[in-house]
Amino acid sequence: MYPTHLLRHPANDKLRRYWAEQYHGYSVMQTNNGPQIENYLASALSTLQHCVHQQRLTFAVRMDLRFPDAMPRCSLHNSNEVLTRFFRHLRYELDRVGLKYSHNLRYIWTREQANSAKPHYHIMPLLNKDAVDSIGNTAPSDDGSYSRNNLFHRVYRAWLKSMGFDGDDPRFGQLVNVSEHPITKRYWSAVLHRDDFMVMDEAMFMASYLCKEHSKPFGQGIKVFDCSRR
């Protein structure tokens, strides 16, 4: 059983460990692999609350971004520049649609690396629901590329471009995955509203997975968690 008192993380004494199953009244996804990082929980909750107070409805989804298996460890994996490019390409993908309403892209992300030579990323995009309200078909197009005009395919193209590949390159297989809810085992997405506690609670529960201590490569001198700037 984990202790209930807070302890500092040994690799960074500014990071506070958190073992409780609720944070400021919202559910937290605790696992057997160790605690959450309270600093990250605070940032995630602040980002979610900012979204729902800035717009009527917010569409949220959680996704995983992975590098191709055949890609050897290289300089691309030694910083988070690839993720910076990813969000830039995703904004471009969303901007060029000519949506009736602004997408207001915000996000939460984490970098993880456990038993692999390469890291991977978990992200939670947060979008204005009036502009984007679904993930869309996650299957590839008939030619094996990801050329459909839905959110999933736009995310996939942005990820390919961030690594320096063409957005319609069909060679790599499934590098982007939509996260499942741990209880329902279904793709998770939600529409958040400031007055709907149940949905906000579920979103914080799903976001808290990104805040866990386990598998964060703290010793690499690279940021492992962040949220979009307001």
Side-chain angles (χ1 to χ4, degrees), residues 82-149:
V82 66
L83 196 67
T84 300
R85 293 198 298 267
F86 163 75
F87 284 118
R88 185 167 64 242
H89 286 303
L90 181 56
R91 280 198 181 90
Y92 172 77
E93 284 277 354
L94 294 168
D95 286 342
R96 73 173 185 166
V97 184
L99 299 167
K100 182 177 180 181
Y101 300 97
S102 173
H103 53 77
N104 296 342
L105 174 64
R106 299 178 179 92
Y107 47 81
I108 304 166
W109 65 264
T110 189
R111 173 190 176 102
E112 297 194 348
Q113 184 176 348
N115 301 315
S116 171
K118 295 172 290 191
H120 61 273
Y121 294 98
H122 302 295
I123 63 170
M124 180 179 277
L126 301 160
L127 297 139
N128 178 10
K129 191 262 183 187
D130 289 336
V132 179
D133 62 1
S134 68
I135 303 166
N137 190 339
T138 61
S141 304
D142 292 340
D143 62 357
S145 69
Y146 285 81
S147 54
R148 294 192 178 101
N149 291 320

Side-chain angles (χ1 to χ4, degrees), residues 17-178:
R17 287 169 159 171
Y18 191 84
W19 283 271
E21 294 184 352
Q22 285 197 329
Y23 181 75
H24 287 255
Y26 292 97
S27 299
V28 169
M29 190 187 301
Q30 295 287 8
T31 72
N32 293 327
N33 292 318
Q36 302 278 331
I37 298 297
E38 185 183 9
N39 313 57
Y40 301 162
L41 290 171
S43 295
L45 180 57
S46 177
T47 300
L48 292 172
Q49 290 176 331
H50 177 73
C51 286
V52 298
H53 282 90
Q54 290 296 311
Q55 57 202 19
R56 187 177 65 89
L57 297 170
T58 298
F59 178 73
V61 62
R62 216 184 71 200
M63 295 180 172
D64 310 324
L65 307 177
R66 299 184 182 275
F67 295 100
D69 289 340
M71 177 187 285
R73 175 86 189 198
C74 63
S75 60
L76 188 69
H77 309 119
N78 296 334
S79 75
N80 294 316
E81 177 60 29
V82 66
L83 196 67
T84 300
R85 293 198 298 267
F86 163 75
F87 284 118
R88 185 167 64 242
H89 286 303
L90 181 56
R91 280 198 181 90
Y92 172 77
E93 284 277 354
L94 294 168
D95 286 342
R96 73 173 185 166
V97 184
L99 299 167
K100 182 177 180 181
Y101 300 97
S102 173
H103 53 77
N104 296 342
L105 174 64
R106 299 178 179 92
Y107 47 81
I108 304 166
W109 65 264
T110 189
R111 173 190 176 102
E112 297 194 348
Q113 184 176 348
N115 301 315
S116 171
K118 295 172 290 191
H120 61 273
Y121 294 98
H122 302 295
I123 63 170
M124 180 179 277
L126 301 160
L127 297 139
N128 178 10
K129 191 262 183 187
D130 289 336
V132 179
D133 62 1
S134 68
I135 303 166
N137 190 339
T138 61
S141 304
D142 292 340
D143 62 357
S145 69
Y146 285 81
S147 54
R148 294 192 178 101
N149 291 320
N150 62 40
L151 178 61
F152 183 85
H153 280 229
R154 293 185 189 284
V155 167
Y156 202 104
R157 291 196 296 270
W159 182 232
L160 287 182
K161 291 175 183 176
S162 72
M163 292 184 285
F165 303 118
D166 290 335
D168 57 357
D169 195 320
R171 293 179 296 166
F172 302 108
Q174 200 79 359
L175 301 181
V176 177
N177 295 288
V178 181

